[in-house]
Amino acid sequence: MNVGKLTNLEEKGFYGRYAPVNSGVHSALIICVDDDANGFLAKGALKWAKEMGVNALAVSPKKEEPGFHSYPLEEVENAVKYLKAQGNQKIGIVGLSAPGMAALAAASLLPDITLTIALTPPDFVMEGYYTVKLDGTGEHPGNYESSLTWREKPLPFLPYAYRHPEYWQKHVEESKRRGDLTAARDLFDESERRHPLQEEEKIKIENIHGHIYLAAAEDDVLWDSCKFIRRMLKRLEELPHCCTYEAHLYEHGTHFVFPEGMIRKFIPFGIDVLLPLVFKEAKGHTKECRETREDIQSGLMEVIRKWQNGSLNTKKGEDENERIV
């Protein structure tokens, strides 16, 4: 399946890959990724979006800057402008894991975005991180560098509890203790314990327009994504807001609460075998994890369809979108 042409940052003001469905579709999703817009995750997500019947543009930091640090949200703004110039009348955004943070933050700043999908997202701006190999580590934090910037200024962020190389050492220790290939829930809990979350570090989700779709699982060991979503729901309940929203919180699913159709693009064969090897929490719950992903797949298919044809209600209080499952 064709996934379009790679666009360099210097050409259009963003680094990304656009995959249109056909000339008769006038809605598009921006898909935020943190590895590379030319990588297999971005291409898999684009193929998924095309199967959902929507144009899609994967954006990411430049290939030369692995990780997620000082990412200018103006690049998402430029992506919106590009999509509108291609004839797209409706613009949505999707983010999985840390890019879910970027999707939420961008949507809170850009009113042209009218559908925001964030799966296992933080509700705050994270400190930036690098995935280059430094002193034998797989990842290290920035030197108190924000993950996001806006109008050339770093957004306030929650600092990590640990510096290099202790940051990676704690990650490895927790993963071994839990029996997972990767885990960092304790790291984030300790970061909030040492530095209670400040208002300026929280994503202003109440400023997002249109509709928000959130999902996470209780057995997530990368961070407590269900706690983060519950805080966002509380914020929306307490503050005037510009959107409707729905939150789907599952008992099983791990950090990979991605649509079944999308994860099958990432891993065409053996996801049910691979998942328990990555996350101990999935052992004995293969069926439940798959049902979570299938529920998200069907839910997003319905949401995207209604958003495209104009039947998705985006007026607060006039439908049943405010719910948890």
Side-chain angles (χ1 to χ4, degrees), residues 78-134:
N78 292 333
V80 170
K81 294 176 182 177
Y82 173 81
L83 289 172
K84 293 176 73 173
Q86 306 309 306
N88 291 290
Q89 299 166 5
K90 293 184 177 182
I91 311 295
I93 193 165
V94 181
L96 290 64
S97 189
M101 163 201 64
L104 289 169
S108 74
L109 295 166
L110 302 170
D112 284 335
I113 295 175
T114 57
L115 175 62
T116 302
I117 300 166
L119 310 178
T120 68
D123 63 327
F124 53 87
V125 176
M126 299 166 58
E127 182 175 355
Y129 60 88
Y130 291 72
T131 54
V132 294
K133 304 293 183 181
L134 178 64

Side-chain angles (χ1 to χ4, degrees), residues 68-86:
F68 218 73
H69 48 90
S70 295
Y71 180 65
L73 290 176
E74 289 87 352
E75 292 190 22
V76 179
E77 183 179 38
N78 292 333
V80 170
K81 294 176 182 177
Y82 173 81
L83 289 172
K84 293 176 73 173
Q86 306 309 306

Side-chain angles (χ1 to χ4, degrees), residues 14-223:
F14 63 87
Y15 178 68
R17 181 180 288 274
Y18 183 47
V21 180
N22 56 56
S23 58
V25 175
H26 302 292
S27 54
L29 293 175
I30 297 170
I31 301 174
C32 299
V33 295
D34 62 349
D35 60 341
D36 182 11
N38 197 38
F40 80 98
L41 292 177
K43 291 178 180 178
L46 290 173
K47 291 176 182 178
W48 169 81
K50 291 187 75 171
E51 288 188 356
M52 300 286 273
V54 64
N55 301 325
L57 171 63
V59 297
S60 77
K62 289 187 295 185
K63 185 176 181 180
E64 298 78 15
E65 299 180 357
F68 218 73
H69 48 90
S70 295
Y71 180 65
L73 290 176
E74 289 87 352
E75 292 190 22
V76 179
E77 183 179 38
N78 292 333
V80 170
K81 294 176 182 177
Y82 173 81
L83 289 172
K84 293 176 73 173
Q86 306 309 306
N88 291 290
Q89 299 166 5
K90 293 184 177 182
I91 311 295
I93 193 165
V94 181
L96 290 64
S97 189
M101 163 201 64
L104 289 169
S108 74
L109 295 166
L110 302 170
D112 284 335
I113 295 175
T114 57
L115 175 62
T116 302
I117 300 166
L119 310 178
T120 68
D123 63 327
F124 53 87
V125 176
M126 299 166 58
E127 182 175 355
Y129 60 88
Y130 291 72
T131 54
V132 294
K133 304 293 183 181
L134 178 64
D135 302 325
T137 64
E139 183 176 303
H140 66 277
N143 186 19
Y144 294 103
E145 175 186 2
S146 181
S147 56
L148 303 172
T149 68
W150 178 245
R151 301 297 186 242
E152 300 183 350
K153 294 182 179 180
L155 295 184
F157 60 90
L158 174 72
Y160 296 122
Y162 311 108
R163 298 294 100 199
H164 174 75
E166 188 180 16
Y167 170 95
W168 183 250
Q169 293 168 353
K170 292 292 185 181
H171 174 86
V172 172
E173 289 172 7
E174 181 180 351
S175 299
K176 288 181 177 179
R177 176 178 61 78
R178 291 183 181 273
D180 296 295
L181 187 62
T182 181
R185 187 159 172 157
D186 291 352
L187 182 149
F188 281 91
D189 288 347
E190 181 64 12
S191 296
E192 284 203 49
R193 189 190 71 80
R194 295 189 184 189
H195 178 93
L197 195 61
Q198 304 298 302
E199 172 60 25
E200 61 269 21
E201 298 156 3
K202 300 174 184 177
I203 295 171
K204 306 305 182 284
I205 190 171
E206 67 275 10
N207 293 336
I208 294 176
H209 288 70
H211 188 70
I212 306 173
Y213 181 104
L214 304 169
E218 297 285 1
D219 60 358
D220 186 349
V221 294
L222 264 292
W223 49 66

